C-alpha cells in the first residue's frame, strides 16, 4: 500500500499520476497549487481536455459530492468556499445596484474560481467519475450481453433477455454464489415452484401489503411510482438555479426521509412542492396502492387463484418442517433457493436494475430467537465494512468503515448471525469484482422496516444511477413461520431441549364440533383451528369471560363468532416437558443477481488510456463469461496442430475458450475479445510450432502485457489465475516476457 503527499502544479500531471496508481494505492494527498503562489485561487489557464465536456464535468462534480474521500474533500472545500464567496458577493452587488463594472469584474473572478474548482475536481476524481454509460450500453447491446425482450415486437419494458455473454456471466456468478454460500456454509438447497397459491401469499402478507404507492396523471392516466416521482422532481429542483436555498434544504430533508414515507406523507410533499407529471405537466392523483404481484389461476376452472411468486423465500418457509427433519431437528440451519421472482413494477427503468422478472438468490437462516450467536462469527469479526447506520442517516453524517465485530458488540448491528451474513455478503461482492469503494451497507430506518423486523441492512452499490440496493440482509424475527402456522395450523416449530424437565400447567380450549358444526357449518373447522392456536393465557381469559357473561366473541381476522359455554370445553392438566417448542427466528439475505451483475458491468468497464473509443470489460477471471481466446496469428495450416494442442489442454482443465481466426489484424482481434471481457488471449504464432514442446503467448487483457510458455503449462496456469490461486504478476515473474508489437 502506497500513501504519500504530492504537491502538483499541473492538473494534467496530477490526472496522469492518479490514473497510474495501482488499485492498492490507498490515497495520495494531492494539493493543486496555482503557479502564482500569492493568489492560490488563480485559475490554471490550461484548457480542459476535450473529453471533459460540460456534461462530464457536471457528472464528475456530482460524483465527488457523494464519493470524495476526506482527503479529496479537504482539497475541494476551500475551492468551493471560494466560489460561494463570489456568488454571494455578486448577489450582494446586484441587490445594492452596484456599478456594472464592479459586477462584471466579480463575474470574471467567479468564472475563474469555478474553473479552478472544476479542474481540480477532474484532477482528483477517480476514473469511474467520468464513466460513460452510453458507451457501456452500446457495448452490451452490440455484443449481446442482454437486450430488451421481444424487441422485434417493439419490446416490453422491464423484461430482458440475456445473450451468450450475459448468460455465461450470470451462470458464473450463480456458480460462485452457490459455492460461497450453499457449499461453504452447508446450506440446504431447495427449488420450489414459481406458481404460488393465493392463501400462501395471503398468509405472508403479500396479498394485502406487497404494494407500491402510485400516482396517475389526472388527464391521461399515465402511472408513476410516487416515491420515484418525488425523488426525481426534487433532484431536478436541486439543479435549478432559480430555486431558493430554503426550498432546496426542504427538498434535501424530504429525500433523507423518503424511504419511510406513507401515502399521506407523499401526497403532502407532492402538493406542497406542486409536483406535476414529468411528461405532460398535468396534475397528479393522490397516491394509490398498487399490488406488485402478477395474478393468475391454476387449472381450467379459474377458481384456484394464484400468483407468480414475488420472492423465492415463501417456498422455503412452507417446506420448513421437512427441512428441519432433514437437519435432524436441529437449529440453527439455513436453506437457500435460487430462482425467478416476478414483480409488476409500476415504471421499470434503469435497465437491469428495475425489471419485472429477475433471478433471486435467497437464504433463510433459522435460529433460536433467544440465541443469535453464530459459531463462525470470530472468523469474520475483524472484517471492515462501510456501514451507513440509521443514526448516521438521520444526523446527516457520512457512512463509516467499521469492523463487523465492533458493530455487533456495540449493537449497531443487531446480532452475530446478521453480522456474519453481512460480512459474507461483502466477501461475495468483492470476490465477483464489485469495487469495494463503491459498496456500503445501509441500515433501514425504523419506519422503513416491517413492524416485525428487528434489523435490516441493504448492501448498496454505487452506480451511475446512484446507490442501488442489491442485497437485503434482514432479521425478520419469527413472523413468516408464525403466519404460515396461523393459516394452516401446521406447527412450524423446533424443539429446544430444556436443561431439566419441568412440570407445566396446560390450559386448552377444545371445540365441541358436534354443536359447532350445527351452528356454524363450514366455519366450524376454522373456529376449531383458531381455538387450538390460543395460548394458555388467552384460554384462561376466555374461560373467565364465559363464566362471567356466558358468551365469548371470538375474533378471527376481523370476523366475529359468538361462542356459548357449551361450544367450548376448557381442559386443564399438568405435563412434564423435556423440550420447549420454539418458533425460530429468520435471518434473510436476499440477493438480486441482475442488479449485482449490472453494477459489476459498470465497475468493470474501462476505456484504453489515450484511445477512449477502445472500450473493454476487465472482469475478474473467476466470473468472466469466457476465460480465454485462441488467436492464430495467420490462417496458415502449419498452426493447426498447435491450435489443436491448445484446445485439448484447455478442455482438459475445463476452461472455456473462444477461437477468433477471422481475418482482422491481431490488434483488432484482441480489441474484440477485450470487449467481451475475455481476460486471457492465447496467441499461436509462427514460433509456436517450431519447437517441441509447442509454445504460445498469453496476453493479459487488462494490462495488455504478454508472457511466453509451453502449451502443456497453459491449463494449470490459467486455472490458477481464474481461481485466484495466482495473480498475473506471479505469472509475469515466472515466465519470460513476450514483447509484442504495439497494438
Ligand atoms: P426485496 O425483497 O425487495 O428486498 O428484494 C431483494 C433483492 O431483489 C433486492 O436487493 C434487489 O437486488 C432485487 N430486486 C428487487 N426488486 C427488483 C427489481 N424490480 N428488479 C431487479 N431486482 C430487484
Amino acid at each position: 500500500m502506497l500513501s504519500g503527499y504530492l504537491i502538483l502544479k499541473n492538473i494534467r500531471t496530477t490526472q496522469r499520476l492518479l490514473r497510474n496508481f495501482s488499485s492498492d494505492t490507498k490515497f495520495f494527498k494531492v494539493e493543486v497549487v496555482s503557479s502564482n503562489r500569492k493568489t492560490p485561487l488563480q485559475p490554471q489557464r490550461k484548457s480542459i481536455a476535450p473529453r471533459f465536456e460540460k456534461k462530464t464535468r457536471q457528472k464528475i462534480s456530482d460524483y465527488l459530492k457523494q464519493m470524495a474521500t476526506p482527503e479529496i474533500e479537504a482539497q475541494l472545500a476551500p475551492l468551493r468556499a471560494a466560489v460561494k464567496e463570489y456568488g454571494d458577493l455578486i448577489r450582494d452587488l446586484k441587490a445594492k445596484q452596484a456599478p456594472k463594472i464592479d459586477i462584471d469584474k466579480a463575474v470574471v473572478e467567479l468564472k475563474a474560481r469555478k474553473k479552478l474548482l472544476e479542474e481540480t475536481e477532474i484532477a482528483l476524481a477517480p476514473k469511474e467519475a467520468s464513466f460513460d454509460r452510453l458507451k457501456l450500453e452500446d457495448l452490451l447491446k452490440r455484443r449481446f450481453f442482454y437486450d430488451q425482450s421481444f424487441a422485434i415486437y417493439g419490446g416490453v419494458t422491464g423484461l430482458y433477455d440475456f445473450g451468450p455473454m450475459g448468460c455465461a456471466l450470470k451462470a458464473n456468478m450463480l456458480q460462485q454464489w452457490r459455492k460461497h454460500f450453499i457449499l461453504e456454509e452447508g446450506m440446504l438447497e431447495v427449488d420450489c415452484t414459481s406458481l404460488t397459491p393465493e392463501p400462501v401469499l395471503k398468509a405472508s402478507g403479500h396479498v394485502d401489503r406487497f404494494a407500491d404507492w402510485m400516482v396517475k396523471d389526472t388527464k391521461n392516466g399515465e402511472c408513476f411510482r410516487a416515491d420515484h416521482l418525488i425523488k426525481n422532481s426534487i433532484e431536478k429542483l436541486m439543479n435549478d438555479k432559480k430555486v431558493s436555498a430554503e426550498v432546496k434544504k426542504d427538498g434535501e430533508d424530504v429525500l433523507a426521509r423518503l424511504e419511510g414515507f406513507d401515502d399521506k406523507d407523499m401526497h403532502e410533499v407532492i402538493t406542497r412542492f406542486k409536483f406535476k407529471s414529468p411528461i405532460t405537466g398535468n396534475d397528479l392523483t393522490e397516491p394509490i396502492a398498487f399490488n406488485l404481484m402478477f395474478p393468475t389461476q391454476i387449472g381450467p376452472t379459474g377458481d384456484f387463484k394464484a400468483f407468480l411468486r414475488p420472492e423465492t423465500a415463501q417456498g422455503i418457509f412452507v417446506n420448513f418442517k421437512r427441512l428441519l427433519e432433514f437437519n435432524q431437528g436441529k437449529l440453527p440451519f439455513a436453506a437457500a433457493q435460487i430462482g425467478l421472482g416476478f414483480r409488476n413494477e409500476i415504471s421499470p427503468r434503469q435497465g437491469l436494475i428495475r425489471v419485472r422478472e429477475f433471478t433471486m438468490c435467497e437464504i433463510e437462516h433459522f435460529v433460536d430467537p433467544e440465541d443469535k450467536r453464530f459459531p463462525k462469527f470470530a472468523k469474520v469479526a475483524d472484517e471492515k465494512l462501510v456501514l451507513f447506520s440509521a443514526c448516521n442517516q438521520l444526523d446527516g453524517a457520512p457512512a463509516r468503515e467499521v469492523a463487523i465485530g465492533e458493530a455487533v458488540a456495540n449493537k449497531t448491528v443487531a446480532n452475530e448471525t446478521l453480522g456474519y451474513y453481512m460480512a459474507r455478503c461483502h466477501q461475495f461482492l468483492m470476490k465477483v469484482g464489485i469495487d469495494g469503494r463503491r459498496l456500503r451497507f445501509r441500515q433501514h430506518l425504523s419506519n422503513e422496516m416491517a413492524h416485525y423486523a428487528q434489523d435490516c441492512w441493504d448492501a448498496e452499490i454505487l452506480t451511475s444511477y446512484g446507490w442501488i440496493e442489491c442485497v437485503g440482509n434482514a432479521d425478520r424475527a419469527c413472523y413468516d413461520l408464525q403466519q404460515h402456522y396461523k393459516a394452516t395450523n401446521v406447527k412450524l416449530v423446533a424443539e429446544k431441549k430444556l436443561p431439566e424437565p419441568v412440570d407445566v400447567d396446560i390450559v386448552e380450549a377444545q371445540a365441541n364440533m358436534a354443536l359447532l358444526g350445527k351452528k356454524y357449518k363450514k366455519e366450524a373447522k376454522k373456529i376449531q383451528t383458531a381455538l387450538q392456536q390460543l395460548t394458555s393465557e388467552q384460554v384462561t381469559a376466555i374461560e373467565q369471560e364465559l363464566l362471567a357473561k356466558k358468551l365469548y366473541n371470538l375474533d378471527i381476522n376481523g370476523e366475529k363468532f359468538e361462542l356459548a359455554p357449551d361450544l367450548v370445553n376448557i381442559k386443564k392438566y399438568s405435563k412434564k416437558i423435556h423440550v420447549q417448542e420454539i418458533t425460530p427466528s429468520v435471518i434473510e439475505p436476499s440477493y438480486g443477481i441482475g442488479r449485482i451483475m449490472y453494477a459489476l458491468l459498470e465497475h468493470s468497464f474501462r476505456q484504453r488510456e489515450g484511445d477512449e473509443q477502445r472500450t473493454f470489460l476487465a472482469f475478474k477471471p473467476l466470473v468472466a463469461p469466457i476465460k480465454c481466446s485462441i488467436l492464430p496469428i495467420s490462417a496458415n495450416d502449419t498452426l493447426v496442430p498447435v491450435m489443436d494442442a491448445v484446445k485439448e489442454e484447455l478442455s482438459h482443465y475445463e476452461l472455456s475458450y473462444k477461437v477468433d481466426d477471422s481475418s482482422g489484424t491481431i490488434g483488432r482481434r484482441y480489441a474484440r475479445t477485450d470487449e467481451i471481457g475475455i481476460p486471457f488471449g492465447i496467441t499461436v504464432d509462427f514460433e509456436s510450432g517450431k519447437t517441441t514442446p509447442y509454445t504460445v503467448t498469453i496476453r493479459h487483457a487488462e494490462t495488455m502485457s504478454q508472457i511466453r510458455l509451453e502449451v502443456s503449462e497453459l491449463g494449470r496456469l490459467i486455472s490458477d489465475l481464474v481461481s485466484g490461486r495466482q495473480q498475473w504478476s506471479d505469472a509475469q515473474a515466472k515466465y519470460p516476457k513476450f514483447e509484442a508489437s504495439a497494438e
Side-chain angles (χ1 to χ4, degrees):
M1 197 269 286
L2 276 166
S3 69
Y5 186 89
L6 293 177
I7 296 186
L8 299 163
K9 290 193 175 179
N10 182 305
I11 298 276
R12 307 279 283 141
T13 320
T14 323
Q15 228 172 294
R16 220 175 27 248
L17 267 162
L18 284 167
R19 307 274 180 265
N20 289 340
F21 289 162
S22 64
S23 55
D24 60 352
T25 306
K26 198 72 172 195
F27 69 84
F28 253 82
K29 182 157 186 170
V30 181
E31 186 171 300
V32 181
V33 241
S34 153
S35 45
N36 180 343
R37 285 228 158 243
K38 274 186 218 138
T39 51
L41 292 173
Q42 194 140 339
Q44 300 281 313
R45 296 292 165 207
K46 268 186 178 296
S47 67
I48 294 171
R51 76 187 169 100
F52 295 119
E53 49 195 41
K54 190 157 187 261
K55 223 169 72 194
T56 314
R57 296 202 302 263
Q58 185 59 47
K59 210 156 53 179
I60 291 174
S61 183
D62 291 346
Y63 183 91
L64 282 174
K65 279 183 195 130
Q66 298 216 49
M67 282 298 286
T69 59
E71 293 74 30
I72 292 181
E73 196 48 45
Q75 303 288 312
L76 295 177
L79 302 182
R80 289 207 185 107
V83 169
K84 183 168 181 308
E85 183 193 8
Y86 260 68
D88 292 345
L89 176 68
I90 291 166
R91 259 190 300 278
D92 200 36
L93 289 173
K94 281 184 180 166
K96 286 185 191 146
Q97 296 185 332
K100 185 169 177 304
I101 178 87
D102 291 350
I103 297 177
D104 287 350
K105 265 194 207 161
V107 169
V108 170
E109 179 60 21
L110 175 69
K111 280 189 180 161
R113 288 177 179 218
K114 272 191 175 162
K115 193 166 180 227
L116 180 62
L117 171 63
E118 267 175 12
E119 292 195 353
T120 312
E121 281 177 334
I122 289 168
L124 296 177
K127 249 182 190 168
E128 67 266 12
S130 52
F131 163 75
D132 188 338
R133 194 193 305 144
L134 285 181
K135 280 212 167 76
L136 171 66
E137 282 173 353
D138 168 62
L139 187 161
L140 297 178
K141 206 173 174 131
R142 237 179 339 98
R143 305 307 303 270
F144 198 11
F145 275 76
Y146 59 89
D147 198 5
Q148 198 167 38
S149 303
F150 313 107
I152 61 168
Y153 281 85
V156 180
T157 37
L159 297 185
Y160 285 90
D161 292 338
F162 288 106
M165 291 299 102
C167 247
L169 179 63
K170 182 174 155 191
N172 291 345
M173 284 174 65
L174 292 179
Q175 190 191 1
Q176 287 315 315
W177 194 89
R178 226 183 216 111
K179 250 172 135 168
H180 188 80
F181 290 106
I182 299 182
L183 203 81
E184 285 182 33
E185 304 291 350
M187 293 177 178
L188 310 181
E189 187 175 2
V190 291
D191 185 2
C192 309
T193 62
S194 296
L195 282 172
T196 310
E198 187 185 37
V200 176
L201 293 161
K202 178 85 185 158
S204 66
H206 286 87
V207 171
D208 296 324
R209 288 187 301 277
F210 194 62
D212 278 335
W213 295 111
M214 170 173 85
V215 286
K216 285 187 182 179
D217 183 316
T218 48
K219 293 219 171 98
N220 69 9
E222 192 158 359
C223 302
F224 305 95
R225 209 175 119 169
D227 56 344
H228 288 171
L229 179 126
I230 292 175
K231 183 167 180 276
N232 295 340
S233 307
I234 291 183
E235 279 169 1
K236 206 165 143 205
L237 202 122
M238 296 295 195
N239 293 326
D240 188 341
K241 285 188 183 144
K242 286 188 227 115
V243 172
S244 73
E246 204 177 309
V247 175
K248 285 186 180 171
K249 171 83 196 51
D250 191 5
E252 253 174 38
D253 215 49
V254 169
L255 280 187
R257 292 179 298 117
L258 185 58
E259 295 275 7
F261 275 14
D262 62 12
D263 54 334
K264 288 188 192 64
D265 299 324
M266 290 198 226
H267 184 55
E268 188 275 321
V269 168
I270 291 173
T271 323
R272 181 153 53 87
F273 284 85
K274 298 192 178 62
F275 289 147
K276 308 281 175 201
S277 155
I279 296 169
T280 59
N282 293 335
D283 285 338
L284 297 162
T285 62
E286 283 188 23
I288 38 177
F290 174 74
N291 193 297
L292 298 183
M293 290 195 296
F294 286 99
T296 182
Q297 65 254 329
I298 300 173
T301 62
D303 296 339
F304 195 147
K305 282 207 205 155
F307 295 93
L308 293 178
R309 65 180 174 196
E311 58 176 24
T312 66
Q314 301 308 322
I316 299 180
F317 297 133
V318 298
N319 282 297
F320 171 76
K321 234 168 107 71
R322 322 264 341 247
L323 290 163
L324 181 69
E325 269 162 31
F326 188 86
N327 204 47
Q328 280 102 40
K330 283 196 219 112
L331 281 186
F333 75 90
Q337 177 161 208
I338 299 175
L340 289 174
F342 303 83
R343 300 185 185 181
N344 197 5
E345 295 286 348
I346 295 168
S347 41
R349 58 202 181 129
Q350 305 176 332
L352 292 187
I353 287 176
R354 191 163 301 283
V355 292
R356 289 177 164 142
E357 178 178 331
F358 53 97
T359 301
M360 307 180 84
C361 298
E362 294 194 290
I363 298 166
E364 306 302 329
H365 181 100
F366 299 100
V367 61
D368 180 350
E370 305 283 307
D371 181 7
K372 293 183 182 172
R373 284 173 303 162
F374 197 92
K376 290 198 287 182
F377 186 70
K379 282 195 169 180
V380 301
D382 292 336
E383 194 142 325
K384 290 200 163 161
L385 270 56
V386 175
L387 300 185
F388 196 23
S389 69
C391 285
N392 288 353
Q393 292 166 60
L394 293 171
D395 296 346
R400 253 177 13 103
E401 198 177 50
V402 188
I404 192 69
E406 186 191 327
V408 170
N410 65 24
K411 289 278 162 218
T412 308
V413 171
N415 56 65
E416 280 190 4
T417 304
L418 183 59
Y420 182 78
Y421 279 110
M422 287 164 65
R424 292 287 285 156
C425 171
H426 179 256
Q427 288 171 0
F428 171 75
L429 294 173
M430 302 295 286
K431 195 191 259 183
V432 295
I434 293 297
D435 174 1
R437 292 167 311 138
R438 287 182 267 177
L439 170 61
R440 72 179 184 192
F441 288 81
R442 189 184 69 81
Q443 188 173 33
H444 280 206
L445 304 177
S446 56
N447 57 355
E448 207 182 320
M449 268 189 304
H451 63 94
Y452 48 81
Q454 301 210 325
D455 196 10
C456 186
W457 291 83
D458 287 343
E460 294 187 332
I461 305 179
L462 187 66
T463 68
S464 59
Y465 293 108
W467 287 100
I468 301 294
E469 176 211 329
C470 291
V471 185
N473 296 283
D475 180 339
R476 298 175 55 82
C478 312
Y479 178 78
D480 304 277
L481 293 180
Q482 274 171 348
Q483 288 299 103
H484 289 300
Y485 163 54
K486 275 191 205 156
T488 60
N489 206 28
V490 175
K491 275 191 180 173
L492 300 177
V493 291
E495 289 185 341
K496 184 173 160 183
K497 200 165 184 304
L498 292 168
E500 280 168 27
V502 284
D503 290 317
V504 286
D505 295 327
I506 310 273
V507 189
E508 280 175 2
Q510 291 179 339
N512 183 338
M513 285 307 276
L515 295 182
L516 261 185
K518 265 195 198 149
K519 182 163 183 191
Y520 286 113
K521 311 276 177 313
K522 273 198 316 211
E523 312 272 45
K525 180 82 190 127
K526 190 155 82 181
I527 297 169
Q528 183 191 36
T529 304
L531 290 174
Q532 282 168 350
Q533 291 180 352
L534 296 171
T535 62
S536 292
E537 292 74 34
Q538 287 168 325
V539 177
T540 308
I542 293 179
E543 184 187 27
Q544 281 164 5
E545 202 159 327
L546 284 175
L547 276 174
K549 300 185 186 162
K550 305 281 176 256
L551 198 71
Y552 179 77
N553 261 319
L554 181 69
D555 185 330
I556 307 177
N557 299 328
E559 265 185 281
K560 297 267 189 303
F561 297 92
E562 277 189 357
L563 300 180
D566 58 341
L567 297 184
V568 196
N569 302 325
I570 307 291
K571 207 174 155 200
K572 293 179 183 173
Y573 57 95
S574 183
K575 190 169 147 187
K576 194 177 273 309
I577 57 166
H578 301 261
V579 290
Q580 180 193 357
E581 280 185 348
I582 54 166
T583 306
S585 264
V586 168
I587 312 289
E588 179 190 81
S590 171
Y591 290 67
I593 288 298
R595 285 193 184 175
I596 301 173
M597 191 165 145
Y598 178 75
L600 180 62
L601 287 164
E602 271 205 10
H603 291 195
S604 308
F605 184 68
R606 305 275 188 279
Q607 292 174 276
R608 289 274 181 224
E609 203 70 47
D611 184 0
E612 268 72 36
Q613 295 315 316
R614 219 174 133 183
T615 56
F616 68 105
L617 289 161
F619 292 128
K620 285 227 171 155
L622 191 67
V623 294
I626 300 174
K627 310 302 180 201
C628 321
S629 56
I630 308 178
L631 309 154
I633 201 96
S634 98
N636 197 311
D637 281 351
T638 56
L639 303 184
V640 172
V642 188
M643 294 279 292
D644 289 345
V646 170
K647 288 183 209 168
E648 199 176 315
E649 169 76 5
L650 296 179
S651 300
H652 183 71
Y653 281 85
E654 296 176 8
L655 291 163
S656 53
Y657 60 81
K658 183 177 189 333
V659 178
D660 186 348
D661 51 8
S662 58
S663 57
T665 64
I666 192 78
R668 227 196 163 124
R669 284 187 282 154
Y670 283 148
R672 242 191 341 240
T673 57
D674 292 350
E675 260 198 334
I676 51 173
I678 300 183
F680 306 110
I682 299 164
T683 312
V684 178
D685 58 19
F686 292 115
E687 292 302 309
S688 296
K690 277 191 185 158
T691 51
T692 33
Y694 297 144
T695 63
V696 286
T697 69
I698 308 183
R699 171 183 173 277
H700 180 237
E702 198 171 347
T703 57
M704 299 195 290
S705 53
Q706 299 198 39
I707 55 173
R708 187 156 204 119
L709 77 171
E710 289 175 11
V711 171
S712 58
E713 292 173 294
L714 264 183
R716 159 120 350 138
L717 175 65
I718 294 178
S719 280
D720 283 356
L721 291 169
V722 167
S723 68
R725 282 189 294 270
Q726 282 197 61
Q727 301 304 313
W728 179 247
S729 52
D730 302 326
Q732 281 180 304
K734 187 162 171 203
Y735 296 102
K737 184 174 175 183
F738 178 74
E739 293 287 358
S741 51
E743 286 178 25

